[in-house]
Amino acid sequence: MSLDWIYYAISWILLAWHGAWDAIRVPDTAVIGTNWAWILAIVFLVVTVRVILFPVFVKQIKSQRAMQALQPQVKALQEKHKGDRETLQKEMMELYRKEKANPLMGCLPMFLQIPVFLGLFHVLRRLDPANGGKTLYGWTVTQFESASAAKLFTAPIAGKFGSTADELARLGANGTTVKVIAGILVLMMMGTTYLTSRQMILKTGWAEDPQQRMIQKLMLYGIPLSLLISGAIFPIGVIIYWVTNNLFTLGQQQWVLRKFPPPPTATSKPVTSTRNPVQPAKLGGLLGRGKPAPQAPAKPVAPKIAGPKPGAKPANPKKGRPAKRQG
């Protein structure tokens, strides 16, 4: 299957944004060693893609909320089918189907961006001055030459950490500069990738489902570590796209999670204070640095008079009283 339609779409968006920035006179020539019109074109390629995928992002949040609400039921199934993994998986899949929850929905936005990432990777890899006489997916020769000469702090956006000496020579780049800029961007890419996953996990919690938990660990640790190696083959322009996309994700997730906080699970209980109320004597001891607080004298309690026993004669109420005077 040909992917040319992706390459043409990515090229069209890049050229459209570059033309927009050029129209408002954003410098296309190097300022501080940077061609800002092309850098902003890559940044706003991210904005364009994220706006298109925003409905998918909303579905991702809803799916994660649904999965979180099902955690008590998942835990109950794990206790019920402990040691029977096959039955447990069948029961959980039936639960997900019944409740219309998709465990893989959390990864969907990332999967949908893979074609964009690959398309940009392919387009920037073709930005080689040796191909200056050729057009590139609808680019003119002038646009191609302008993009192939675009730099970020004197490092070409088509350069990469693992560029060969011949590639650096064709791009007119200094190998040390390219490695420093690319290395910093790779570290930023790893850090922001980790933070996007950590942000969501801290808000929604670790999943009880082993499959979901494995996916969370892969997103949190596996992908950032893999970028340490794979980042060496990414053009600088692609890493700019990735870092910008991660920063956009961090902001978007923070806004959504703050505006629509995750609902409490069915097992959650309102937090109540379990501390014993502080007695006045203890409170006085705290305020008086260990001295007990003075207590009010106790009121005398009247002794209780026992009633007559069953069958006993009642006491003579006149006994002990003075006799009346005879008139």
PDB file of all heavy atoms in Angstrom, residues 17-26:
ATOM      1  N   TRP A  17       1.616  26.305   6.501  1.00  0.00           N
ATOM      2  CA  TRP A  17       2.025  27.059   7.685  1.00  0.00           C
ATOM      3  C   TRP A  17       3.273  27.891   7.414  1.00  0.00           C
ATOM      4  O   TRP A  17       3.378  29.030   7.902  1.00  0.00           O
ATOM      5  CB  TRP A  17       2.280  26.119   8.859  1.00  0.00           C
ATOM      6  CG  TRP A  17       1.023  25.711   9.569  1.00  0.00           C
ATOM      7  CD1 TRP A  17       0.471  24.466   9.640  1.00  0.00           C
ATOM      8  CD2 TRP A  17       0.143  26.578  10.298  1.00  0.00           C
ATOM      9  NE1 TRP A  17      -0.687  24.494  10.364  1.00  0.00           N
ATOM     10  CE2 TRP A  17      -0.912  25.775  10.797  1.00  0.00           C
ATOM     11  CE3 TRP A  17       0.153  27.934  10.596  1.00  0.00           C
ATOM     12  CZ2 TRP A  17      -1.955  26.295  11.559  1.00  0.00           C
ATOM     13  CZ3 TRP A  17      -0.891  28.458  11.359  1.00  0.00           C
ATOM     14  CH2 TRP A  17      -1.920  27.653  11.823  1.00  0.00           C
ATOM     15  N   HIS A  18       4.211  27.345   6.642  1.00  0.00           N
ATOM     16  CA  HIS A  18       5.404  28.134   6.301  1.00  0.00           C
ATOM     17  C   HIS A  18       5.011  29.377   5.518  1.00  0.00           C
ATOM     18  O   HIS A  18       5.528  30.480   5.771  1.00  0.00           O
ATOM     19  CB  HIS A  18       6.393  27.293   5.501  1.00  0.00           C
ATOM     20  CG  HIS A  18       7.596  28.050   5.062  1.00  0.00           C
ATOM     21  ND1 HIS A  18       7.696  28.658   3.812  1.00  0.00           N
ATOM     22  CD2 HIS A  18       8.763  28.345   5.703  1.00  0.00           C
ATOM     23  CE1 HIS A  18       8.855  29.259   3.710  1.00  0.00           C
ATOM     24  NE2 HIS A  18       9.525  29.095   4.833  1.00  0.00           N
ATOM     25  N   GLY A  19       4.067  29.203   4.587  1.00  0.00           N
ATOM     26  CA  GLY A  19       3.597  30.353   3.817  1.00  0.00           C
ATOM     27  C   GLY A  19       2.903  31.373   4.696  1.00  0.00           C
ATOM     28  O   GLY A  19       3.052  32.586   4.492  1.00  0.00           O
ATOM     29  N   ALA A  20       2.151  30.911   5.700  1.00  0.00           N
ATOM     30  CA  ALA A  20       1.458  31.831   6.606  1.00  0.00           C
ATOM     31  C   ALA A  20       2.458  32.637   7.429  1.00  0.00           C
ATOM     32  O   ALA A  20       2.310  33.861   7.585  1.00  0.00           O
ATOM     33  CB  ALA A  20       0.526  31.034   7.522  1.00  0.00           C
ATOM     34  N   TRP A  21       3.478  31.978   7.972  1.00  0.00           N
ATOM     35  CA  TRP A  21       4.475  32.695   8.766  1.00  0.00           C
ATOM     36  C   TRP A  21       5.314  33.619   7.897  1.00  0.00           C
ATOM     37  O   TRP A  21       5.687  34.718   8.331  1.00  0.00           O
ATOM     38  CB  TRP A  21       5.382  31.712   9.506  1.00  0.00           C
ATOM     39  CG  TRP A  21       4.640  30.891  10.513  1.00  0.00           C
ATOM     40  CD1 TRP A  21       4.481  29.546  10.523  1.00  0.00           C
ATOM     41  CD2 TRP A  21       3.929  31.382  11.652  1.00  0.00           C
ATOM     42  NE1 TRP A  21       3.715  29.148  11.580  1.00  0.00           N
ATOM     43  CE2 TRP A  21       3.361  30.260  12.306  1.00  0.00           C
ATOM     44  CE3 TRP A  21       3.712  32.642  12.197  1.00  0.00           C
ATOM     45  CZ2 TRP A  21       2.600  30.370  13.459  1.00  0.00           C
ATOM     46  CZ3 TRP A  21       2.943  32.753  13.352  1.00  0.00           C
ATOM     47  CH2 TRP A  21       2.403  31.627  13.967  1.00  0.00           C
ATOM     48  N   ASP A  22       5.573  33.175   6.674  1.00  0.00           N
ATOM     49  CA  ASP A  22       6.335  34.027   5.763  1.00  0.00           C
ATOM     50  C   ASP A  22       5.528  35.274   5.388  1.00  0.00           C
ATOM     51  O   ASP A  22       6.084  36.360   5.220  1.00  0.00           O
ATOM     52  CB  ASP A  22       6.713  33.223   4.515  1.00  0.00           C
ATOM     53  CG  ASP A  22       7.693  33.975   3.629  1.00  0.00           C
ATOM     54  OD1 ASP A  22       8.709  34.490   4.155  1.00  0.00           O
ATOM     55  OD2 ASP A  22       7.457  34.067   2.405  1.00  0.00           O
ATOM     56  N   ALA A  23       4.194  35.116   5.281  1.00  0.00           N
ATOM     57  CA  ALA A  23       3.335  36.243   4.905  1.00  0.00           C
ATOM     58  C   ALA A  23       3.315  37.316   5.978  1.00  0.00           C
ATOM     59  O   ALA A  23       3.160  38.502   5.668  1.00  0.00           O
ATOM     60  CB  ALA A  23       1.918  35.752   4.623  1.00  0.00           C
ATOM     61  N   ILE A  24       3.463  36.920   7.252  1.00  0.00           N
ATOM     62  CA  ILE A  24       3.479  37.931   8.318  1.00  0.00           C
ATOM     63  C   ILE A  24       4.917  38.298   8.692  1.00  0.00           C
ATOM     64  O   ILE A  24       5.181  38.835   9.756  1.00  0.00           O
ATOM     65  CB  ILE A  24       2.709  37.443   9.560  1.00  0.00           C
ATOM     66  CG1 ILE A  24       3.323  36.168  10.135  1.00  0.00           C
ATOM     67  CG2 ILE A  24       1.245  37.208   9.225  1.00  0.00           C
ATOM     68  CD1 ILE A  24       2.663  35.701  11.420  1.00  0.00           C
ATOM     69  N   ARG A  25       5.845  37.944   7.790  1.00  0.00           N
ATOM     70  CA  ARG A  25       7.248  38.358   7.868  1.00  0.00           C
ATOM     71  C   ARG A  25       7.993  37.775   9.072  1.00  0.00           C
ATOM     72  O   ARG A  25       8.835  38.449   9.679  1.00  0.00           O
ATOM     73  CB  ARG A  25       7.367  39.890   7.863  1.00  0.00           C
ATOM     74  CG  ARG A  25       6.763  40.516   6.610  1.00  0.00           C
ATOM     75  CD  ARG A  25       7.113  41.988   6.479  1.00  0.00           C
ATOM     76  NE  ARG A  25       6.514  42.555   5.287  1.00  0.00           N
ATOM     77  CZ  ARG A  25       7.003  42.426   4.066  1.00  0.00           C
ATOM     78  NH1 ARG A  25       8.121  41.736   3.884  1.00  0.00           N
ATOM     79  NH2 ARG A  25       6.408  42.981   3.032  1.00  0.00           N
ATOM     80  N   VAL A  26       7.659  36.538   9.438  1.00  0.00           N
ATOM     81  CA  VAL A  26       8.516  35.822  10.386  1.00  0.00           C
ATOM     82  C   VAL A  26       9.796  35.470   9.638  1.00  0.00           C
ATOM     83  O   VAL A  26       9.735  34.965   8.508  1.00  0.00           O
ATOM     84  CB  VAL A  26       7.822  34.539  10.888  1.00  0.00           C
ATOM     85  CG1 VAL A  26       8.785  33.681  11.703  1.00  0.00           C
ATOM     86  CG2 VAL A  26       6.612  34.910  11.728  1.00  0.00           C
TER      87      VAL A  26
END
